Structure formats: structure tokens, C-alpha cells
Amino acid sequence: MALTGVEIFKLLPKTNCKKCGHPTCLAFAMKLAQRQATLDSCPDVSEEAKKVLGEASAPPVRPMTFGAGDKAVKMGEETVLFRHDKKFVNPCAFAVEIKDTLSEADIAAIAEEVVKSEIDRVGQKLRIDAIALTNASGDAGKLEAAAKTVAAKAAGVPVIINTQNTQAAEAAVKVFSDKRPLIYGATAANFEAMANIAKANKAILGVGASGLDELSTLTDKIKGLGVEDMVIDSGARKAKEIIENNTLIRRAAIKKNFKPLGFPIINFIQREDSLHEALLGVIAITKYASIVVLSSIEKWKNLALFTLRQNIYTDPQVPMQVEQKVYPIGEPKPESPLFITTNFSLTYFIVSGEIENSKVASRLAVMDCEGLSVLTAWAAGKFTASKIAQFITESGVEKDIATKELIIPGYVAILSGSIEDKLPGWKITVGPREANAIPAFLRSRG
Amino acid sequence: MAFTPAKETYSGKVYSVAIGTGEGTGTVGGENVLPFHSFEGAAPNRPVIAFEIQDVPPADWPESVKKPFEAVSDDPVKWARFCQDELKAKAIALRLVGTHPDRENRSAEDAAKTVKDVLAAVNVPLIILGSNHAEKDAPVLVAASEAAKDKNCVIGKAQEANYKTIAAAAMANNHKIIAMSELDINLSKQLNILITQMGFEKERLITDPMCSALGYGLEYTYSVMERIRLAALTQNDATMQPPMLGDIGMYVWKVKETQAPEADLPHWGSLEERGIAWEAVTATALLVAGAELLIMRHPKAVEEVQKTIEELI
């Protein structure tokens, strides 16, 4: 259990020296409790306090980085069970399985598909993050050869070496030295040897067991051998077990600070039926997986899973925003209508969607209001006549359009007069209050 | 190190709500645990998926979801029978979208006739939905409630602007109602209280906290549902204990991802599969958040979600 601000305060020097940058020791303690400060800012803290606080302040789910370079994936650091309490921290990684029984050409083809999987959504780059290379052949040489193909075709993509054969693991891990691969992994039968390989090659160790009791025992033993960075698999494969075990793991880590399960979770959800696999993906994404292993990465499936991950990992306290600019919808001509709205991503999506549904090519001017919706932005003084006038003038949209007419959201009808005053020569038209009335509104304009 | 699972017991329970009559009766809710947490409590009923049909042909549905119904969707009776007999629907949701003033503007009497005809043709539970025009829905749903008297239908959606009329009609004709508010746990609670203050039993309510599609605000619906369910279970808040509805299809099948052809957006992949996945993923996410009753459109999406529910039980 994490310590409260007052409990932390009791361990601090209580000198209010301000050297940490906070006005009092109590203020600093509160920041520590919220994980917005670190103990090393305090120069006078006692060794004993360091030890107690260090243990208590270690994140309940151990943070680690999988892979190296600009494609590395951060995992762990989660602090809550429900996203409305606080943001889920590190979005889960998607890995596609490649079996070493495939031909070199097939392995290369999937590796290239992974490299090309990146898409952009609301300004975020989303992609298949990793490759799980499975030693289906059972042969160390084959795994090593496949590893070399992957390393060449998908350079920089983090790799899971999926084998319980220590010899094969050792051969493949060398292909990714200094790339921080994940070896999956360790079982009750081989954990000592696997722990040594992981340690010697600075790899993360995936630990697989059947059930949470066996898993806890195993991670504890492996930790005793000096391996700190582990990723855990409870053996859950069916939807029901995934929810149950992932929930119990996250609960144990967060609510009980139970260290043997305080590691990122890996879920294997490969299925013949790709859509069914996607739905198991929904369960893994929403219920605490850090790595989700897929059997295939069709574009339609990627888009759905990427989008869900983005939705679930959005900060519930910070609205998603889109870039301020004039967006064309369809292929607008000079006489096409011009709308304005705010840059709350949901507002943008809904308004642009309804304009699209109306099949009337238009321009949509999206104004930066710090991600607030229309009414909220207006109430907060961020969507005002003068700011709208300034944005429209600076956007230069005037030179693209035939008639200087701007359609404003019905909720801010009150602004129409003052915008006209500030934008001489423009006609301000009050549009509908709700986006779903836009198609009818556009039809009525003929 | 030995592991003792931290199991939770909850003080509250979701109401068990029966819908329909006779052999086709279905029940939603009744669990005393978070969704699919059968490892620590009881969840006696599976979530129910209702197929959406309409009183008018689905001219505004995208091609890929129109196609499976093209032989039947010109007639709500044929359409309902097809869902029940061919698609093995556990429930049907009849949306009287043709009553909307901006659409065909069908009258309340026309709507009542459609309801009667559909009820005569099927025996699975019927959900009767207006066109989401608060003003017009009041007379339409009153007429529909009367036409369906004693059939234990689910009438919706009662909103802040029209709940009095709709709840009174549902009460007089022995129906359940859907209470819908806009993505806010407090508004949802308030509407449930207002409706029960009229004498409408809280055990006859279904809460719709408003759906959103994957990528279009799903996280808001997801979290409002989770919070409602937690309030119901951990705080034993009776106003938050009705089962929840996810009205999936109408939100999903209007977003760009279910309509834009692959030729325009090659990096989005096959439109057919993308649309189905969009509906099925949205539905599954809301099941995990706490929805017990779903309204969906595409047969393949329904089939896959059904399969996943079986795996979750």
C-alpha cells in the first residue's frame, strides 16, 4: 500500500528548509504521495527514511522498457484499477507472432508488414509495437535464423523470443544484444538457466505459470537469482480467465502492493478467427495487459485495436485535442460553406462526421480552445468574438472562398453580432446547436 | 511466495429485469459483481443482444450493414421474423425512426400499427424506440405503449424533456422503460430518481448513459458505465442498480470507419470487416464496462460478440 502524505511527512527532516523547491516539508510530502516529486530532491533525508520511502514509493507495477531506441516500449507504472480514477499510464504493446517454421520469405513479409503498420490518429502515431518470434520448430538453429531475418527486416522493432528451450533462447538473444529483447520464457522447469541467460544478455524475462500461486512463487525465486525485470503470464488463454487473472494480478499489485505480481502482464490471444481474436484483444486492452500477442495484423483489425487502446489510455482529465486549422471536408469549392468549431477532438469528430454525412463539401475551421467543447470554451472565455475573428483572419481562409460567410455553432448564437463587428465584410450565420442537425441545416440551404 | 487472491464482496446488486412474455421472456441484470467477475460472486444472466430493425427501410445505413437485410428490410414484420427465425435473435429493437419530423414524419397511429404488426409476428422480447426527437417521441411512444399493452416491452427512450409522458404510458400498459441521459453519472442518477418519484418502480428501469462509438468518445461511455456499476455494487446505491443499455448500432454505423471505402483509405483495410469489427469491438468494450443489454445491427458482429460472451461466462 502506498504511503499517505502525512505518513511520508513523519519520515522527513521537518526543517522546512525549502531546498527541495517546496515551501514546507509537508508540501513536499504531499507531492511525494502524488508521485509528482522524487525523494532525491531532499538533501537531508535520513538513510532509514530513504529505505522505507524507497520501498513504499516503488511503483506497484514495476516500470521497464522493452526494446531500445525510438521504437522502445515503456511498460508498467500503473497505479489504478479504473481509468476514471487516474490515467492508465503506458499503453499496451501489440505483438504479432511469427513462427520459425515459416519460410524466410514469409518471415520477412510479416516483419515488413509490422514496419509498415504505423498510422496516425488524432496526432498520435500508432503501430504494431513488437514481434513475438516463436520457436515452433523446437530447433535452436531455426530460431536463430528466423531471428536474423527479423532483425534485418524489422530493425529496431522490439522482439519477444518465445521459447522454453534454453539453448534456442541463448542463440536467438545474441541476435538482439543491446536491443533489450524479452525472453519468454521461464517456467518452473527451466527458470534457473533462463534467469542466467536474461541476466547475461540484459533481457527482460517472461515468466509463465499455470495459475497465480505458481506464478508468484516463480517470480519470487527468479528475483532471488538477481533478475528484476519480468513480464508475467498466468497461463490464462480463455476470455473468462484473462479477466479473472488480470484483475487479481492488478488488484494484488495496486491494493496490496504484492511484489511477486507487481509486473507487466503478457496475454497470448491468438485465434484462428481474426475477428474473435480482436474481441479477446478488447478484453486484454481494457483489463490490464501490457503486451498483447496476436496471430495476424490485418489493417482493419489494427485500426480497431489501435483506436480502442487510444480511447482506454486517454487521460480522463485532459481532453483530446486536434490541431488548429481549416479542415477541408470532401472537396470544397470556393462557394462551399465554412463552419467553425472548437478543437475538442470529440467535437471535431462529431461535427466533421455530420458534415460528411450530409455529402456537402465544406470547410471546417477548428480553433484551438485547449480541447474544450463549444459551450465550455465559450464559458471559459476561449471561444469569444475577438478570438474567433483573429483566428479566421490569420487562417487566410478568406482567399479560398467566394462569399465571406461563417457558420457558427447554435450554442454561441449570442456571438454573431460581435463577430460581425470584428470581421468587417463577413456574414455570420447561426448554425444548429447540435451537430446531428447539420445535414438538415445544409439541405435547407439548398 | 504464496498468493491469496484479493476477492471482493459487494454490498449491492443489479436488478434483475424480465422482458417479454411467454416462452420468449428474457432476463437481464441480476449480478452482484462487476462484469464477468463470476470468480467472486453470482452473475445469473448473460447479457442480451437485440437486433435493431426499423419502421422504414434503412436508407441511411451503410451498404455493408444494409445488405444482410436487403430481402426483408422493406417491411418491419418480415424484418423482425427474419431476425427471430433466421438469426436466432434473443430480442428485437424496433426503432420508429420514420416518425422523426425530418424523416418520413409518420404519425403516432402509423407507429402503433407497426408495433402491433411486429408483436403479432414474433415472440421474442421487443424493445420499442422512438426517433430520438424528444417532442415527437412523447405521443409516438404513448401510442406504441398502448398498442403493446401487457406485452412487457422495453419502451425508450425517456429523457429529461419527455420522461413524464413516456413513464406514465409505460406504467399504465405494464412495460419497462429506458431512461437516457447524456454521458454524466449525476444526470443519469437524477433522471432515475425523477422517474421513480412518479411512482414508476425502479426495478422496471433500464439505464442508458448514452452510447458512443469506438474512436468517437467510447472512453466516456465506458467510464460512465464503470462508475455507475461501481456505485451500484460498492455503495449499494439503489438509483444506480438498473441494468444498462448500450445502443451500439446507431452510433457505430454512422462513423467514417464504417463507411469509407478501402480505395480511399488503403491503410484502413477492408471496409466490410472494418465495419463489423467496429461494431463488435464497441459492443465488447461496453460489455466489459457493464452493459447488460445491447442493440446491434450486423449479424456477423452479433454472432462474434455472442461467441465472446460464451467464452466470458
Side-chain angles (χ1 to χ4, degrees):
Chain A
M1 203 72 184
L3 296 180
T4 66
V6 174
E7 285 165 336
I8 296 172
F9 173 65
K10 288 179 186 158
L11 297 162
L12 294 178
K14 305 193 200 75
T15 50
N16 296 337
C17 70
K18 302 187 177 59
K19 287 182 212 159
C20 63
H22 296 87
T24 61
C25 289
L26 184 60
F28 180 53
M30 292 301 170
K31 289 286 172 194
L32 284 173
Q34 292 163 19
R35 301 182 196 281
Q36 290 171 357
T38 52
L39 195 59
D40 38 321
S41 320
C42 176
D44 304 322
V45 69
S46 71
E47 281 307 314
E48 190 217 334
K50 253 189 214 166
K51 189 166 171 286
V52 176
L53 287 172
E55 267 169 28
S57 66
V61 182
R62 185 176 169 81
M64 61 192 76
T65 304
F66 168 35
D70 58 0
K71 288 185 173 162
V73 180
K74 287 174 91 177
M75 303 188 295
E77 290 184 87
E78 302 299 336
T79 58
V80 294
L81 282 152
F82 300 101
R83 63 178 293 282
H84 56 260
D85 286 332
K86 205 171 175 195
K87 184 182 187 293
F88 282 2
V89 183
N90 287 315
C92 58
F94 296 121
V96 63
E97 179 177 38
I98 301 181
K99 294 186 173 143
D100 67 354
T101 41
L102 294 177
S103 72
E104 191 181 335
D106 287 346
I107 293 172
I110 304 173
E112 276 163 16
E113 228 183 302
V114 170
V115 173
K116 282 189 272 183
S117 67
E118 183 167 290
I119 59 164
D120 185 289
R121 194 174 185 282
V122 212
Q124 290 183 3
K125 300 239 183 284
L126 309 169
R127 60 174 171 256
I128 295 297
D129 308 272
I131 290 172
L133 187 54
T134 300
N135 189 202
S137 68
D139 180 87
K142 276 219 160 121
L143 186 67
E144 188 183 0
K148 284 182 176 153
T149 309
V150 165
K153 298 293 176 184
V157 174
V159 172
I160 301 166
I161 297 162
N162 184 9
T163 183
Q164 290 172 17
N165 174 339
T166 50
Q167 207 188 343
E170 187 144 35
V173 78
K174 303 269 187 252
V175 179
F176 306 102
S177 56
D178 302 325
K179 298 277 193 268
R180 206 153 166 69
L182 190 160
I183 304 173
Y184 175 88
T187 64
N190 69 7
F191 72 92
E192 283 170 331
M194 281 293 190
N196 285 331
I197 297 170
K199 235 176 16 182
N201 294 283
K202 297 193 182 66
I204 298 172
L205 187 57
V207 182
S210 141
L212 300 176
D213 201 38
E214 189 187 319
L215 185 60
S216 310
T217 312
L218 204 49
T219 56
D220 212 38
K221 284 184 186 158
I222 293 171
K223 194 177 173 192
L225 297 171
V227 174
E228 297 278 355
D229 288 341
M230 287 178 257
V231 163
I232 54 178
D233 169 25
S234 67
R237 293 295 179 271
K238 281 184 63 179
K240 177 182 155 67
E241 302 159 357
I242 292 175
I243 284 204
E244 175 174 344
N245 287 357
N246 287 12
T247 301
L248 290 173
I249 289 171
R250 179 70 78 91
R251 251 189 219 163
I254 307 259
K255 298 180 98 171
K256 307 275 180 206
N257 208 5
F258 183 69
K259 291 297 176 195
L261 294 181
F263 297 102
I265 297 170
I266 185 167
N267 283 145
F268 294 86
I269 61 162
Q270 303 99 307
R271 296 296 166 107
E272 288 272 318
D273 173 349
S274 189
L275 182 53
H276 189 52
E277 181 173 293
L279 301 188
L280 284 177
V282 173
I283 290 157
I285 293 166
T286 52
K287 291 291 157 188
Y288 319 130
S290 286
I291 302 179
V292 182
V293 181
L294 305 160
S295 68
S296 64
I297 48 170
E298 298 89 333
K299 289 173 181 152
W300 57 267
K301 184 163 79 178
N302 291 353
L303 186 69
L305 292 179
F306 292 167
T307 307
L308 181 68
R309 174 177 63 180
Q310 189 177 44
N311 283 173
I312 294 297
Y313 279 85
T314 298
D315 188 338
Q317 272 131 29
V318 180
M320 296 272 286
Q321 305 182 21
V322 293
E323 188 194 342
Q324 161 166 308
K325 68 175 189 188
V326 179
Y327 291 82
I329 297 176
E331 286 166 20
K333 299 187 181 64
E335 61 274 15
S336 297
L338 169 67
F339 290 83
I340 185 165
T341 193
T342 67
N343 75 328
F344 176 35
S345 68
L346 214 52
T347 302
Y348 163 76
F349 277 137
I350 292 169
V351 172
S352 62
E354 292 293 351
I355 297 175
E356 258 170 44
N357 287 347
S358 74
K359 311 260 189 271
V360 178
S362 305
R363 289 181 179 81
L364 176 60
V366 172
M367 185 170 140
D368 181 2
C369 298
E370 293 165 29
L372 298 179
S373 64
V374 168
L375 265 186
T376 331
W378 171 73
K382 297 183 196 303
F383 197 56
T384 61
S386 48
K387 286 180 179 163
I388 291 171
Q390 188 189 358
F391 165 52
I392 290 297
T393 310
E394 286 172 3
S395 74
V397 67
E398 196 178 322
K399 62 183 189 314
D400 298 328
I401 54 177
T403 341
K404 289 195 267 180
E405 184 196 14
L406 179 66
I407 303 165
I408 63 171
Y411 278 115
V412 291
I414 191 169
L415 294 178
S416 65
S418 42
I419 303 175
E420 272 181 4
D421 290 346
K422 296 191 165 69
L423 275 178
W426 281 74
K427 180 184 171 211
I428 306 303
T429 300
V430 177
R433 291 161 75 96
E434 297 290 345
N436 62 16
I438 289 175
F441 169 80
L442 284 171
R443 268 200 304 279
S444 71
R445 287 163 60 95
Chain B
M1 196 184 284
F3 171 71
T4 323
K7 297 208 173 155
E8 308 227 338
T9 43
Y10 304 92
S11 51
K13 185 177 162 186
V14 178
Y15 294 122
S16 183
V17 178
I19 54 177
T21 54
E23 281 177 22
T25 311
T27 307
V28 291
E31 68 273 20
N32 64 0
V33 281
L34 287 172
F36 310 109
H37 282 211
S38 47
F39 57 91
E40 54 192 359
N45 301 299
R46 285 169 168 70
V48 170
I49 305 177
F51 268 97
E52 177 174 347
I53 67 168
Q54 293 190 349
D55 60 338
V56 291
D60 57 332
W61 291 17
E63 207 47 48
S64 50
V65 67
K66 231 193 290 188
K67 214 169 31 193
F69 305 105
E70 69 191 351
V72 294
S73 59
D74 59 327
D75 172 9
V77 170
K78 278 198 284 179
W79 195 348
R81 275 211 192 104
F82 175 75
C83 292
Q84 174 185 278
D85 300 340
E86 304 298 321
L87 304 175
K88 310 294 174 213
K90 299 272 184 347
I92 288 170
L94 168 64
R95 197 182 302 278
L96 299 163
V97 69
T99 61
H100 196 287
D102 293 343
R103 295 278 305 253
E104 289 78 355
N105 200 16
R106 296 177 80 231
S107 68
E109 294 72 42
D110 290 344
K113 182 172 182 316
T114 306
V115 167
K116 272 210 159 102
D117 293 346
V118 169
L119 275 170
V122 294
N123 58 21
V124 294
L126 187 66
I127 300 166
I128 304 169
L129 302 164
S131 63
N132 209 17
H133 185 280
E135 211 174 302
K136 181 74 181 278
D137 276 358
V140 166
L141 292 176
V142 168
S145 293
E146 287 164 0
K149 188 173 176 57
D150 295 331
K151 293 287 188 182
N152 197 19
C153 296
V154 182
I155 307 288
K157 298 169 180 175
Q159 307 181 44
E160 198 190 344
N162 61 15
Y163 72 92
K164 283 189 182 149
T165 330
I166 295 169
M171 208 161 22
N173 297 289
N174 293 319
H175 298 301
K176 308 294 175 356
I177 59 172
I178 298 164
M180 185 186 95
S181 47
E182 297 191 351
L183 285 178
D184 182 308
I185 184 170
N186 294 312
L187 290 178
S188 172
K189 184 178 164 88
Q190 181 185 313
L191 183 60
N192 287 353
I193 292 172
L194 289 172
I195 292 174
T196 48
Q197 277 172 352
M198 290 174 60
F200 196 93
E201 293 167 89
K202 55 188 183 301
E203 296 85 355
R204 302 177 68 85
L205 276 174
I206 288 174
T207 296
D208 178 2
M210 198 161 147
C211 190
S212 0
L214 173 62
Y216 294 82
L218 179 67
E219 68 273 29
Y220 293 88
T221 303
Y222 183 91
S223 282
V224 171
M225 282 188 169
E226 273 200 335
R227 292 179 63 198
I228 289 178
R229 189 51 79 240
L230 282 166
L233 298 175
T234 61
Q235 296 158 31
N236 197 14
D237 181 344
T239 64
M240 302 266 74
Q241 286 170 341
M244 288 189 284
L245 167 75
D247 193 358
I248 311 288
M250 71 174 271
Y251 287 91
V252 164
W253 291 101
K254 67 176 185 184
V255 307
K256 193 172 178 183
E257 284 80 354
T258 60
Q259 315 212 11
E262 189 174 2
D264 293 355
L265 291 158
H267 57 290
W268 280 9
S270 152
L271 172 59
E272 175 82 19
E273 283 157 311
R274 192 196 320 138
I276 294 168
W278 223 256
E279 185 172 34
V281 166
T282 304
T284 307
L286 294 185
L287 286 176
V288 172
E292 284 97 351
L293 179 60
L294 302 177
I295 299 174
M296 296 178 65
R297 290 182 178 173
H298 202 291
K300 180 72 184 159
V302 172
E303 184 193 322
E304 290 287 346
V305 174
Q306 204 73 258
K307 200 158 115 187
T308 306
I309 291 172
E310 291 309 315
E311 206 183 307
L312 280 163
I313 298 297

